[in-house]
Every structure is written in C-alpha cells, then in structure tokens.
C-alpha cells in the first residue's frame, strides 16, 4: 500500500473512532463505526493470501450485521421516544438489540466466532489493531448506555465471554488465536463489571490494552506466531521472550502483576453488591484461562533455564 493510501486509511480509522466516542447522536455514532470498519478492511486484506481474504470477508460481514442491528435498535428507540440521543435509549427491546450489536462489534460472546479466525488470517500488527483500537468505539457506546442496560444481560454476556475465552484458548498452538481468546476473556470481565461500575470497566480495558500492545509488538519484532516459534526465539532474543512470558502472566491476572489489580477490584465490587456466586464463577473461569497463559510461560521458562 502506498504512503498516501496508508495516511488516508490511518486518518479514517482514528477519525471514525473519535467521531463515535464524541457523538451524542446514534446516527453520527453509526457513521463513525462505518467509517472505521471500511478503513480497516484494506489493512486486513493486505497479505495476498486466501486466509487474509477470508478474514476480511468475515470481519466485514459481522461488522455489517452488527451495524444493521445498531440501526434497527436506534430507529425503534427513536420511533418510541422521539429522540436519537444516545443517552435516551429507554426502550427495553432497543437496549437488548443494541447490547448484542456492541458485543458483536467488539468480539465478545455469544457472537465471538469471527475474532479468532480474523486474527489468524491477518498480520500481527493488524491483530494488535483489532484487539485494542477497534474496541474503543463500541466500549465507549456501551459505557454511555450502561445505566439503561439490564444488569442481568451484561453479566450473562460477561460470564459467557469469560468461559468461552478460558476454554477456547486451552488447545491453541497459534499465538494469535491464543491472544484472540485472551481478548474475549478480558472483554468478559469488562462487560460483567460494566453493569455495576462502568468506570472500573473502562480502567480494566485500558490496562488490558496497555499489556497486550507490547506482547504483539515483541511477537512482531521476533516474528513469533506459534508456540513452536517461541522454542527457537529465546536463543536469539532471551530478554524479549522472557518479557512475553511475564506480560502473559500479567494479562492472566496473576498476582502480583498489574493485571491482577482490575480483577481484584471487580471481585471486590461483586462481593460488595452481594453477588458472591457470580464472583466465584468469575474466579473459576479466570483459573481456566490461567492454564493456557501458564502453558506459554512454562514453555519459555523451561527453555531459558
């Protein structure tokens, strides 16, 4: 892709996200998301392989369906309340459809199937973009309407994402798919706590992004794509491989790493609200997801020792 195209694409992605995050009207938010989606398609399809083309089509179709659901929801709400304002999402049907649309856009369960496939079909830099920047706009919209969403809906989607993210990553040897399930798992925590403390949810997703970015950048610099690659990478760049291992443990929420803090605060919030069953379930799913992070770390530690 030539420099002019890259500049236009980058500006469109940034503009789309900022437009969505700063709008108070559903139509402007939708336009921002569409601009964002159309700009990232050439980046996903950049590698001239059938996997990349397949990933592009999957990404386009899921995002287009989510956008259609978003339009349906906002139109129904405007029809009922006479307002296109984001904060005026009062209709129960509209709220449910909108929540499903936003979870689909960010790749959370139950409509998460596209995320591992899309990440596997594209480059590591694009995978980083999809797992971090592309989640900002839908999460900001969910944050804005969090007061109107039924808590049971958010918590169900959150717990389901945590279970899917934990179980899905166990059998993976491809690091991009592992990171995709890690993303689904972390989104589960974010969505679940969004029902009780939206500010804590935002902090959780930002800490996740801060930890994920260096993992992807180090994987890119060492061309590490599978667990097998990790076994050879440590001989040439031991410090980088060890950093990947420690960041993986941090992402899993293992104390005393940074990733433990938002999970501890989330569990504290759940217990304060007397949702102990939910807190126990969250801890159990977190232990399952810890298994695949430990696998990567154990592999690295055994080799370097």
């Amino acid at each position: 892709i030539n420099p002019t195209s890259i500049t236009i694409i980058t500006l469109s992605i940034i503009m789309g996200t900022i437009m969505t995050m700063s709008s108070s009207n559903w139509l402007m938010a939708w336009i921002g998301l569409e601009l964002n989606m159309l700009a990232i398609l050439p980046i996903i399809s950049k590698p001239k392989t059938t996997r990349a083309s397949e990933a592009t089509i999957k990404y386009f179709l899921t995002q287009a369906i989510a956008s259609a659901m978003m339009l349906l929801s906002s139109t129904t709400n405007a029809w009922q309340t006479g307002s296109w304002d984001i904060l005026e999402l009062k209709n129960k049907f509209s709220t449910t459809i909108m929540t499903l649309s936003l979870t689909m856009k960010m790749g959370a369960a139950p409509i998460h199937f596209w995320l591992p496939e899309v990440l596997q079909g594209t480059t590591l830099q694009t995978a980083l973009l999809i797992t971090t920047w592309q989640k900002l706009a839908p999460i900001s919209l969910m944050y804005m309407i969090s007061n109107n969403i039924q808590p049971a809906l958010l918590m169900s989607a959150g717990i389901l994402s945590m279970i899917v993210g934990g179980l899905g990553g166990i059998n993976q040897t491809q690091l991009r798919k592992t990171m995709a399930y890690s993303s689904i798992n972390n989104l589960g925590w974010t969505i679940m706590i969004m029902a009780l403390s939206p500010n804590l949810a935002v902090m959780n997703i930002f800490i996740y992004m801060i930890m994920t970015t260096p993992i992807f950048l180090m994987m890119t610099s060492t061309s590490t794509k599978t667990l097998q690659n990790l076994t050879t990478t440590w001989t040439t760049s031991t410090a980088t491989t060890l950093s990947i291992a420690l960041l993986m443990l941090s992402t899993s929420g293992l104390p005393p790493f940074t990733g433990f803090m938002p999970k501890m605060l989330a569990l504290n919030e759940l217990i304060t609200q007397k949702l102990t069953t939910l807190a126990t379930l969250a801890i159990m799913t977190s232990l399952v997801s810890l298994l695949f992070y430990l696998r990567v770390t154990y592999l690295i530690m055994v080799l370097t020792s």
Side-chain angles (χ1 to χ4, degrees):
I1 304 176
N2 64 11
T4 315
S5 304
I6 287 175
T7 310
I8 293 168
I9 287 166
T10 309
L11 283 173
S12 299
I13 290 171
I14 295 167
M15 278 288 297
T17 304
I18 292 171
M19 192 189 286
T20 302
M21 289 171 79
S22 59
S23 62
S24 59
N25 181 298
W26 279 119
L27 277 178
M28 287 307 289
W30 174 77
I31 289 166
L33 285 168
E34 288 298 293
L35 178 65
N36 191 308
M37 176 191 75
L38 291 172
I40 203 171
L41 292 177
I43 298 178
I44 301 172
S45 62
K46 189 170 172 265
K48 294 288 174 277
T49 59
T50 47
R51 287 300 293 269
S53 307
E54 187 187 330
T56 313
I57 292 163
K58 279 180 180 171
Y59 186 82
F60 173 72
L61 288 175
T62 45
Q63 298 293 320
I65 293 164
S67 293
M69 284 165 70
M70 194 176 162
L71 272 184
L72 168 69
S73 166
S74 49
T75 309
T76 312
N77 187 65
W79 181 31
Q80 295 285 323
T81 61
S83 169
W84 280 96
D85 199 290
I86 288 177
L87 300 174
E88 291 296 315
L89 195 71
K90 297 283 193 286
N91 186 358
K92 213 167 190 178
F93 169 78
S94 298
T95 315
T96 308
I97 296 291
M98 185 60 74
T99 309
L100 280 173
S101 159
L102 294 174
T103 52
M104 190 174 181
K105 272 209 171 285
M106 56 179 116
I111 318 167
H112 62 279
F113 307 101
W114 62 272
L115 189 64
E117 295 300 320
V118 169
L119 291 205
Q120 188 54 39
T122 186
T123 61
L124 285 164
Q125 294 98 320
T126 315
L128 168 63
L129 192 64
I130 293 168
T131 48
T132 53
W133 184 265
Q134 291 300 93
K135 291 190 177 9
L136 290 175
I139 282 173
S140 63
L141 286 175
M142 192 176 268
Y143 177 82
M144 284 189 251
I145 63 167
S146 58
N147 291 335
N148 300 329
I149 306 173
Q150 304 91 305
L153 184 65
L154 280 178
M155 286 177 185
S156 306
I159 285 289
L160 193 59
S161 295
M162 285 154 73
I163 293 168
V164 165
L167 295 175
I170 289 174
N171 232 3
Q172 301 301 332
T173 53
Q174 294 285 341
L175 286 175
R176 275 172 294 182
K177 277 198 174 177
T178 305
M179 293 307 290
Y181 283 108
S182 157
S183 169
I184 294 167
N185 184 13
N186 271 282
L187 274 174
W189 280 91
T190 306
I191 293 168
M192 180 186 69
I193 209 64
M194 185 77 79
L196 304 172
S197 172
N199 292 341
L200 184 55
V202 170
M203 187 192 80
N204 181 55
I205 200 70
F206 271 115
I207 287 176
Y208 166 71
M209 286 177 186
I210 289 164
M211 291 183 301
T212 305
T213 307
I215 294 177
F216 271 111
L217 292 176
M218 283 189 277
M219 279 161 57
T220 308
S221 67
T222 54
S223 300
T224 307
K225 289 177 183 173
T226 62
L227 284 178
Q228 200 174 2
N229 290 155
L230 275 177
T231 59
T232 53
T233 306
W234 75 272
T235 50
T236 50
S237 45
T238 315
T240 307
T241 319
L242 282 170
S243 301
I244 291 174
L246 292 172
L247 279 162
M248 283 277 192
L249 287 179
S250 184
T251 314
S252 70
L254 191 75
F257 296 103
T258 317
F260 175 61
M261 185 182 66
K263 290 189 177 178
M264 184 185 69
L265 292 171
L267 290 171
N268 179 48
E269 188 70 36
L270 287 171
I271 293 162
T272 309
Q273 302 279 356
K274 295 188 170 54
L275 296 164
T276 41
T277 315
L278 203 62
T280 311
L281 202 55
I283 294 166
M284 298 296 279
T285 53
S286 197
L287 285 173
V288 174
S289 67
L290 182 61
L291 191 65
F292 67 81
Y293 291 111
L294 281 175
R295 194 160 132 238
V296 176
T297 317
Y298 178 71
L299 183 74
I300 294 168
M301 294 303 181
V302 165
L303 290 167
T304 47
S305 64

